Amino acid sequence: MEHYLIIARSVTYAQRMQRALDRAGIRCQIFRAPRELTETGCAYAVRIQSMDLTAALQSLYRESLNPVQIFVSQRGFYREVDL
Amino acid sequence: MIYFDSAATTFQKPRSVAAAMQDAMATMSSPGRGGYPAAMHAADTAFDCRSELADLYHAQSPEQVVFTSSATHGLNIAVKSLVPPGGKAVISGYEHNAVTRPLAALGAKTAIASAPLFESAAVTEAFDHLVTPDTDAVICCHVSNVFGFVQPVEEIAQICQTRNVPLIIDASQSAGLLNLDLTRLGAAFIAMPGHKGLYGPQGTGVLLCGQDTPVRTLLEGGTGSLSIQQEMPDFLPDRLEAGTHNMPGIAGLLAGIRYVRQHDPAAICGRERRLAQFAAESLRTMPGIQVYARPDLTAQAGVVSFTAAGHDVEALAAALGERGVAIRAGLHCAPLAHRTAGTLESGTVRLSFSDFNTREEVYQFLTILRELLR
């Protein structure tokens, strides 16, 4: 199923994102980011459903939370989304 | 045992603290080290603890809350982040060795804003006189660990803000008791132990970092982030938290903080001050006793020092210990405070209270002391 991964700089930052999305009523989960997506090594990602991307980004930016990168998962592959 | 050494560590803890630590041992691994349930449970607990502390001390973000092993650890990070070798610091006359020894190790030129005990206005005046725009950092304990003197940190913060000098507050004796607002004070750092007024276990501490404060690492190592990069991450809390977290400690600290917030820090402080006042008033009636307290305990928290003429302070504390009263005597790792107050030669016997002490315990202590001094 298509979904987005919002990469955070740390687990604490990912948790701040998760709380912000929870407050906005957007369902999400924290995951370890797939190794292939992170050039700098270990990272965490917040996973959201594709229909929630716009609302999620609005909620995150409202709380000054900036993703490192965003990826969309399509047919088992990840593609980076331009921010 | 009657335990009156809570300025060193609160020995009696809420039951929830030990329970939380036991639960952590059974259910938590390391935060930031995996995506499996035990790692995420640890991460959630650490985040909850940061969030409670950010809320309590008005930090804008939980990321500004850094876990340390003690207030001393936090103060070392703070001092070494701001004061370069040979730099200039202004400190109060009541600082602990946790402040003065790092400054000495840096070879800092340290000016002491010295003022008589319980003279808040004189403290402010002394800082006003000494702090200049080229001061690298001002460092001040909120409450003296020897005398319970509550220093005027709001006024000192104003002086620092006006002169654009970073302020480090040592909240070792005030955490969990007195209000501190990191954002409004504009403090660069506030360091505190987890194991005193926050009722966490020993081995826990917290460093609150101002949003734009530059931070230098004391330790480098794994953080669970940016693993390929060989420099430490430039963001908090990861920059200052190399290595595996003390999860049982953090879980216990979270339980302690929740206890404090449920019981209201101001109410706890009020109870401790009433015990201190009762002790001070009663001690004052005993011949040969000098009590370091104002009659109304102005500018004083729940800590009281005293000396007894003709009695060595350590010998007196040892005799009290043999009779079941745990109390600390000597210089309390704060020779500067004793020098400022004029008690360096003798040292003092110190009573320090927690939320678990009672008036009856103070009464029993006074009875034992009277017998010893007879």
Side-chain angles (χ1 to χ4, degrees), chain A:
Chain A
M1 201 172 84
E2 189 176 286
H3 63 266
Y4 286 90
L5 286 185
I6 301 173
I7 309 289
R9 64 189 188 188
S10 69
V11 67
T12 312
Y13 207 82
Q15 289 171 304
R16 285 183 66 198
M17 287 178 163
Q18 184 185 41
R19 301 307 195 274
L21 295 175
D22 282 349
R23 281 192 289 277
I26 297 167
R27 285 187 58 192
C28 65
Q29 293 130 317
I30 294 181
F31 286 91
R32 289 281 282 186
R35 177 66 192 92
E36 61 183 290
L37 304 186
T38 57
E39 286 175 5
T40 53
C42 308
Y44 281 80
V46 177
R47 177 178 160 155
I48 56 168
Q49 291 180 12
S50 55
M51 62 181 183
D52 290 329
L53 181 66
T54 304
L57 289 178
Q58 282 171 352
S59 302
L60 295 177
Y61 291 143
R62 204 166 34 241
E63 301 200 22
S64 302
L65 292 166
N66 300 307
V68 175
Q69 288 168 293
I70 299 176
F71 291 90
V72 60
S73 163
Q74 288 170 323
R75 292 185 290 278
F77 293 97
Y78 286 104
R79 179 175 57 80
E80 186 169 359
V81 176
D82 286 335
L83 292 175

Side-chain angles (χ1 to χ4, degrees), chain B residues 195-224:
Chain B
H195 61 96
K196 296 184 183 180
L198 293 175
Y199 294 97
Q202 294 94 323
T204 59
V206 174
L207 181 65
L208 305 172
C209 304
Q211 247 193 342
D212 302 317
T213 304
V215 289
R216 290 188 63 162
T217 57
L218 277 190
L219 293 173
E220 292 80 28
T223 59

Side-chain angles (χ1 to χ4, degrees), chain B residues 123-192:
Chain B
V123 172
T124 306
E125 205 174 301
F127 274 104
D128 192 31
H129 181 64
L130 291 172
V131 178
T132 55
D134 68 341
T135 304
D136 291 305
V138 165
I139 310 161
C140 184
C141 59
H142 194 183
V143 173
S144 159
N145 71 308
V146 182
F147 301 103
F149 178 21
V150 182
Q151 301 209 86
V153 288
E154 301 245 346
E155 288 80 355
I156 295 164
Q158 266 190 342
I159 292 168
C160 291
Q161 283 186 354
T162 309
R163 290 165 212 184
N164 203 21
V165 173
L167 170 65
I168 300 168
I169 299 174
D170 173 3
S172 291
Q173 300 301 328
S174 69
L177 297 165
L178 300 176
N179 190 33
L180 276 176
D181 186 325
L182 175 74
T183 305
R184 196 166 53 75
L185 291 170
F189 294 104
I190 300 177
M192 62 187 72

Side-chain angles (χ1 to χ4, degrees), chain B residues 26-203:
Chain B
T27 63
M28 295 178 204
S29 60
S30 285
R33 303 301 196 273
Y36 51 89
M40 291 314 298
H41 184 32
D44 284 340
T45 302
F47 189 81
D48 287 347
C49 194
R50 293 187 210 279
S51 298
E52 291 266 1
L53 286 158
D55 194 34
L56 189 57
Y57 291 102
H58 309 275
Q60 284 149 306
S61 155
E63 290 176 286
Q64 292 168 257
V65 178
V66 170
F67 294 122
T68 60
S69 62
S70 62
T72 298
H73 179 193
L75 285 165
N76 268 265
I77 293 170
V79 170
K80 289 167 185 173
S81 290
L82 297 176
V83 182
K88 294 173 80 171
V90 180
I91 66 175
S92 86
Y94 295 93
E95 298 310 306
H96 190 275
N97 278 348
V99 167
T100 57
R101 282 182 170 170
L103 287 170
L106 289 166
K109 298 172 193 78
T110 303
I112 298 165
S114 197
L117 207 45
F118 308 123
E119 299 278 352
S120 302
V123 172
T124 306
E125 205 174 301
F127 274 104
D128 192 31
H129 181 64
L130 291 172
V131 178
T132 55
D134 68 341
T135 304
D136 291 305
V138 165
I139 310 161
C140 184
C141 59
H142 194 183
V143 173
S144 159
N145 71 308
V146 182
F147 301 103
F149 178 21
V150 182
Q151 301 209 86
V153 288
E154 301 245 346
E155 288 80 355
I156 295 164
Q158 266 190 342
I159 292 168
C160 291
Q161 283 186 354
T162 309
R163 290 165 212 184
N164 203 21
V165 173
L167 170 65
I168 300 168
I169 299 174
D170 173 3
S172 291
Q173 300 301 328
S174 69
L177 297 165
L178 300 176
N179 190 33
L180 276 176
D181 186 325
L182 175 74
T183 305
R184 196 166 53 75
L185 291 170
F189 294 104
I190 300 177
M192 62 187 72
H195 61 96
K196 296 184 183 180
L198 293 175
Y199 294 97
Q202 294 94 323

